[in-house]
Amino acid sequence: GENVEQHPSTLSVQEGDSAVIKCTYSDSASNYFPWYKQELGKGPQLIIDIRSNVGEKKDQRIAVTLNKTAKHFSLHITETQPEDSAVYFCAASGRPGYGNKLVFGAGTILRVKS
Amino acid sequence: KAGVTQTPRYLIKTRGQQVTLSCSPISGHRSVSWYQQTPGQGLQFLFEYFSETQRNKGNFPGRFSGRQFSNSRSEMNVSTLELGDSALYLCASSPLAGQYEQYFGPGTRLTVT
């Protein structure tokens, strides 16, 4: 089955710097890749997603890139702010017959120091 | 639009008991998925329901079951609770089945003693 690896497990950056989180997936049939942000005591919040027919997607300070050949995708956060501090999860989905099943990475704890 | 709601938010049960958790999806959404989140195993898929039918099931024992009602609300049940079932149980709602955006609720924190 699908396996998603996420790196790094923790990331500390200075306010205003950029942060990059990388994920690799194993199932070449996966075609949907969302990113979630989870704050303490809350459920994961969808922040951006990308589908396999797109190489890059941007939403204000957040961008995601996808390399289908290498089977990896990355989250880029620019001009980080203290409120960006949270746990970020990548996920993969899309094998026919798997419905909406998401396979998640282990998560990255992002700390933005002010 | 109101988001995904889950009840109860916190639950303490004793080993051997059973528990039922409830999820109300975003209005108009017809797909509901359940996930278990633990520090050791991370986020793991339990099952997905669409139009009252289970479409997909994760690798969990038969003690974990669920159902969906005609109004798309869903419940999951865990019987014969074990200490290892202590976790945050998350419900996610999606407009349709397939690779659509999923929106999570706040979760139910289950503690088994």
Side-chain angles (χ1 to χ4, degrees):
Chain A
E2 174 69 282
N3 182 51
V4 177
E5 293 192 357
Q6 183 172 346
H7 299 281
S9 56
T10 60
L11 179 58
S12 290
V13 299
Q14 203 67 35
E15 182 179 0
D17 287 350
S18 295
V20 180
I21 302 171
K22 299 182 179 181
C23 289
T24 59
Y25 61 97
S26 61
D27 190 345
S28 57
S30 291
N31 59 16
Y32 175 63
F33 307 92
W35 285 88
Y36 287 87
K37 173 185 180 182
Q38 188 173 27
E39 296 173 295
L40 204 58
K42 297 184 178 180
Q45 175 195 359
L46 178 65
I47 57 172
I48 196 167
D49 57 10
I50 193 167
R51 298 182 188 275
S52 59
N53 58 348
V54 176
E56 183 173 357
K57 185 177 178 180
K58 191 173 181 181
D59 182 5
Q60 299 182 353
R61 297 186 296 109
I62 294 174
V64 57
T65 59
L66 171 65
N67 183 328
K68 280 217 74 179
T69 303
K71 289 190 283 188
H72 68 70
F73 55 113
S74 300
L75 178 71
H76 305 252
I77 305 174
T78 59
E79 301 171 22
T80 54
Q81 301 166 3
E83 52 265 38
D84 293 329
S85 296
V87 182
Y88 290 81
F89 293 94
C90 63
S93 173
R95 170 165 281 280
Y98 275 32
N100 276 345
K101 175 183 177 180
L102 290 173
V103 177
F104 283 88
T108 296
I109 300 172
L110 174 63
R111 296 190 184 94
V112 180
K113 297 175 283 186
S114 56
Chain B
K1 255 186 193 178
V4 178
T5 58
Q6 293 187 245
T7 56
R9 292 293 312 277
Y10 303 92
L11 207 48
I12 300 175
K13 289 287 188 178
T14 304
R15 210 167 25 173
Q17 290 185 316
Q18 74 163 16
V19 66
T20 299
L21 312 181
S22 181
C23 170
S24 291
I26 293 170
S27 177
H29 284 196
R30 294 169 57 193
S31 172
V32 173
S33 298
W34 289 88
Y35 293 82
Q36 181 196 64
Q37 185 174 27
T38 60
Q41 299 299 316
L43 280 151
Q44 291 188 293
F45 173 79
L46 279 158
F47 26 64
E48 176 195 356
Y49 287 88
F50 178 75
S51 292
E52 303 177 64
T53 301
Q54 187 181 89
R55 297 188 75 246
N56 205 355
K57 190 176 193 305
N59 190 24
F60 280 83
R63 300 185 297 107
F64 292 80
S65 63
R67 59 177 175 169
Q68 186 180 33
F69 302 95
S70 58
N71 62 357
S72 296
R73 190 178 69 85
S74 178
E75 290 181 345
M76 68 162 282
N77 184 277
V78 188
S79 62
T80 319
L81 284 166
E82 300 178 0
L83 295 178
D85 297 333
S86 294
L88 180 67
Y89 289 90
L90 293 157
C91 165
S93 125
S94 183
L96 293 169
Q99 291 72 57
Y100 290 89
E101 298 83 1
Q102 293 186 55
Y103 300 93
F104 282 85
T108 294
R109 172 72 62 185
L110 172 65
T111 302
V112 182
T113 61

